[in-house]
Amino acid sequence: MENYSFDVVIVGGGPAGLSCGIKLAEKGVNTLLIEKGRFCGSKNLFGGVIYTSSVKEIVPEFPEVNPLPVERAVAEEGYIFFSKRGVVKLLHTKANPKEAFTALRAKFDAWLSEYALKKGLLIVPKTKVIDLKINHSQVTGVIVDRPQSFDNPKPAEIEAKIVILAEGVNRLLAERAGLVQGPFKPEEVVLAVKEVIQLPKEELEKRFGVKENKGLAAELIGEITLGLPGTGFLYTNQNSLSFGIGIFLSTLVDLNLKPYEILERAKAHSYLQELFKGGEILEYGAHLIPEWGIEGLPRLYGKGIMVVGDAAGLVNPLFREGTNLAIYSGLMAAETALEALEKGDFSEKTLKGYEERFRESYIYKDLLLFKNLKVFLLKNKHLFDTYPEMIYEIFTLYFSAQGRYKKEIMKEILGIIRKKRGIWGVLKDIISWGRLFW
Amino acid sequence: MVKRVNIDEKIGATKFFVDEEYAHLKIKSLEVCEKCSSKPCLNFCPAGVYRFSEGKIVISYQACLECGSCRVGCPFKNILWDYPRGGFGVSYKFG
């Protein structure tokens, strides 16, 4: 590779980088996307659910595409509260299942990259960006871990008017560009470990009571994480299940816990044991979820540079948003890049437009709204241990009340609440939960 | 509290393209590890990359899932963290 020069270089081929690249390629911008994995998606892992409305922004015909890059339409969605002895399910059947799909990122991202190629985006995989080219604090390109040419082993340099960092949660280049002050802290990220468990299609549909091409997306709360702040997740794919747990890294560090042992113990829960029986583990993986929120938000732009997706920490853990926010941020960066190219100005003056677009969006407003969430969850451990147990005990009483005077049952239920959390405790929790948002 | 899990067996299902010529994880100073009493890396690393053997921490970077936990989870920031070279390292089939 020598004397390469592009209008825009995008680092990272996940949904943020690819959406940005697709938008730019459609407008005929000379864009290069660099991906360190063997193909786009090979390094990416999520729960996960993909939202149709966000994919439609880049692929208008989705989900009427063939082959379908997603697994099952989310027909049933909700929460499963895990007590040591059993579960309480809160599931909602969706009127329009095609709003969301379960998906596997190695397949979905790869499909999106194929789509991007057709739109004219140049993608170079198996290439790592090792540094940024910076000239008088203006980012002017990237340096990659490939030789300049056959006779020059020096790392190749690629010129760019704008560099867009879609490098994911481990935002090494954003740190190098000075857009963030050093690495994030362990309490700002959730470490998720996940298994893909194979089940024959018919067996899966029988066990989960789902119809063909329809599936379940559930968040698991309580004993599943040993009552530690975090959640589990369970999604049905075509012939497999996506199952995992996510716990704040700080908790794992402080308590010296092995995440895969918690995962294994969760799988041994009687409720899951039945569902997973005979399932073959197809893959085990791990990923950090950026939950630093508004406090850890990097500077979204600098001279000749913008940051999108996970690298910026655009995730809403409560509403399971991430890939969609990645797509939206990629599109906002693309719009800003188009404006900059039109003006021929790649200074902060024009690139500030990205932050302005971002601040007008619901993503920023949500980050503001949820600014205290992470601290709240870490501080209110009882949401993860006391409540799921309490809910289970209450329903156990409620559903075995036959043949008894019901006032006694009510008294016993109150007794459980008093013992576990106290009436005042519950009221206090409701108020502090409410105050989180107002 | 929890039964032992063989992480090597678990990670056996995951696909890797091992870079034999470049170890992307390094311990900055073994002395720092010696002084570290809790050694949480031996536990929180989801791939069991960090093991304690013959009185010191040993890294098997070959099975690293590149999650980045050790980069920030090490209490002494004693790990030099990088991605493997382009095309190497973990390669998810499902993700």
Side-chain angles (χ1 to χ4, degrees):
Chain A
M1 293 170 94
E2 52 186 330
N3 299 331
Y4 272 115
S5 175
F6 293 86
D7 286 335
V8 180
V9 165
I10 301 168
V11 184
L18 285 167
S19 316
C20 185
I22 289 168
K23 217 24 112 196
L24 292 172
E26 278 176 344
K27 301 280 178 187
V29 176
N30 185 21
T31 310
L32 171 72
L33 187 147
I34 303 171
E35 163 59 42
K36 66 180 148 40
R38 295 180 85 81
F39 57 89
C40 290
S42 66
K43 298 279 185 190
N44 304 347
L45 181 142
F46 81 155
V49 174
I50 292 275
Y51 300 99
T52 303
S53 55
S54 62
V55 181
K56 271 184 171 301
E57 296 272 331
I58 32 173
V59 186
E61 58 270 36
F62 184 85
E64 270 69 51
V65 291
N66 194 18
L68 198 60
V70 289
E71 296 291 317
R72 285 172 186 266
V74 179
E76 223 174 1
E77 190 166 19
Y79 298 93
I80 305 178
F81 298 96
F82 275 73
S83 124
K84 286 185 181 73
R85 291 184 295 151
V87 301
V88 175
K89 299 197 253 183
L90 176 66
L91 295 179
H92 167 253
T93 53
K94 292 186 84 125
N96 177 16
K98 288 193 169 180
E99 268 176 16
F101 290 88
T102 57
L104 296 159
R105 291 285 298 281
K107 292 181 185 176
F108 180 80
D109 293 10
W111 166 79
L112 201 54
S113 72
E114 290 293 324
Y115 184 85
L117 284 172
K118 279 186 213 138
K119 292 285 171 186
L121 180 67
L122 185 60
I123 301 177
V124 177
K126 298 189 202 176
T127 305
K128 183 172 82 169
V129 173
I130 53 175
D131 211 348
L132 297 167
K133 275 170 70 79
I134 298 173
N135 187 3
H136 293 103
S137 75
Q138 176 84 26
V139 175
T140 59
V142 297
I143 303 169
V144 297
D145 68 345
R146 290 237 203 151
Q148 194 87 18
S149 65
F150 271 123
D151 5 280
N152 186 352
K154 247 187 72 187
E157 299 190 358
I158 300 168
E159 306 280 336
K161 292 174 181 141
I162 301 171
V163 173
I164 294 171
L165 299 180
E167 57 181 337
V169 58
N170 288 297
R171 51 195 190 178
L172 299 186
L173 295 167
E175 282 174 26
R176 209 155 309 178
L179 298 172
V180 270
Q181 295 298 319
F184 43 80
K185 297 183 199 76
E187 60 270 27
E188 292 179 316
V189 286
V190 162
L191 172 57
V193 289
K194 172 185 174 180
E195 278 180 1
V196 178
I197 302 166
Q198 185 182 41
L199 277 183
K201 194 166 165 284
E202 300 74 31
E203 188 60 28
L204 184 150
E205 288 171 0
K206 205 174 86 192
R207 286 187 197 182
F208 287 85
V210 292
K211 295 199 179 75
E212 194 167 13
N213 299 326
K214 303 239 167 43
L216 162 85
E219 304 300 306
L220 322 175
I221 299 166
E223 180 59 18
I224 201 87
T225 57
L226 305 178
L228 299 168
T231 52
F233 55 87
L234 177 60
Y235 306 130
T236 54
N237 304 316
Q238 274 299 342
N239 312 299
S240 66
L241 306 171
S242 289
F243 170 71
I245 51 159
I247 296 176
F248 280 98
L249 180 59
S250 52
T251 307
L252 295 169
V253 172
D254 293 346
L255 302 179
N256 238 332
L257 295 171
K258 290 184 166 73
Y260 43 88
E261 286 189 349
I262 304 174
L263 182 83
E264 227 27 62
R265 174 151 150 171
K267 281 165 67 185
H269 191 279
S270 56
Y271 176 74
L272 293 179
Q273 221 171 21
E274 284 296 308
L275 289 174
F276 294 171
K277 205 162 70 189
E280 187 82 27
I281 298 169
L282 296 176
E283 188 170 83
Y284 166 76
H287 209 277
L288 287 181
I289 307 169
E291 296 197 8
W292 49 71
I294 196 94
E295 282 167 34
L297 194 71
R299 276 201 65 202
L300 293 175
Y301 66 97
K303 295 175 183 169
I305 192 163
M306 290 183 268
V307 188
V308 295
D310 265 10
L314 308 183
V315 161
N316 184 336
L318 214 53
F319 286 83
R320 213 171 42 211
E321 288 182 286
T323 45
N324 61 338
L325 306 185
I327 291 172
Y328 297 140
S329 65
L331 292 175
M332 286 187 267
E335 276 175 43
T336 311
L338 287 170
E339 196 186 317
L341 287 162
E342 205 170 288
K343 284 189 191 165
D345 173 31
F346 311 105
S347 72
E348 289 177 308
K349 214 178 108 199
T350 308
L351 298 191
K352 193 178 192 302
Y354 170 48
E355 195 187 81
E356 285 164 2
R357 285 177 174 87
F358 177 76
R359 281 182 189 269
E360 279 165 26
S361 74
Y362 86 94
I363 310 175
Y364 175 71
K365 289 173 191 160
D366 270 1
L367 282 178
L368 271 179
L369 182 66
F370 289 92
K371 65 179 186 300
N372 298 321
L373 180 69
K374 159 189 83 205
V375 175
F376 179 84
L377 294 178
L378 278 166
K379 260 184 24 196
N380 289 278
K381 195 174 163 287
H382 52 270
L383 292 176
F384 303 95
D385 53 13
T386 310
Y387 277 98
E389 289 295 335
M390 194 163 89
I391 290 168
Y392 184 77
E393 279 189 33
I394 288 172
F395 279 103
T396 302
L397 259 176
Y398 183 85
F399 287 120
S400 50
Q402 293 80 1
R404 288 183 59 196
Y405 180 35
K406 304 303 174 287
K407 194 156 182 179
E408 266 174 35
I409 301 289
M410 292 307 172
K411 271 188 186 160
E412 282 177 36
I413 288 178
L414 268 174
I416 292 171
I417 298 173
R418 281 214 180 93
K419 200 179 112 210
K420 294 257 177 205
R421 185 66 190 153
I423 306 292
W424 278 116
V426 173
L427 284 175
K428 238 175 64 191
D429 290 337
I430 294 170
I431 291 167
S432 60
W433 185 251
R435 273 178 51 187
L436 195 61
F437 304 107
W438 276 278
Chain B
M1 179 183 68
V2 185
K3 69 171 183 186
R4 292 265 148 250
V5 176
N6 186 341
I7 184 63
D8 298 324
E9 213 171 272
K10 209 179 246 315
I11 221 130
T14 309
K15 195 169 177 178
F16 290 92
F17 290 89
V18 177
D19 188 348
E20 306 287 357
E21 288 161 32
Y22 174 64
H24 67 281
L25 305 171
K26 286 182 204 87
I27 288 175
K28 289 181 197 165
S29 155
L30 277 171
E31 282 165 30
V32 172
C33 293
E34 266 173 46
K35 282 182 207 142
C36 174
S37 56
S38 58
K39 297 186 180 34
C41 61
L42 301 179
N43 291 309
F44 71 70
C45 170
V49 163
Y50 299 89
R51 312 266 169 112
F52 198 69
S53 168
E54 292 173 10
K56 60 174 190 184
I57 304 245
V58 186
I59 301 182
S60 39
Y61 73 91
Q62 295 87 342
C64 170
L65 293 165
E66 299 159 39
C67 70
S69 294
C70 59
R71 186 169 81 100
V72 296
C74 170
F76 297 95
K77 304 283 170 287
N78 194 33
I79 294 158
L80 208 59
W81 197 93
D82 192 8
Y83 282 110
R85 290 189 296 175
F88 289 106
V90 69
S91 193
Y92 289 123
K93 295 165 287 178
F94 303 97

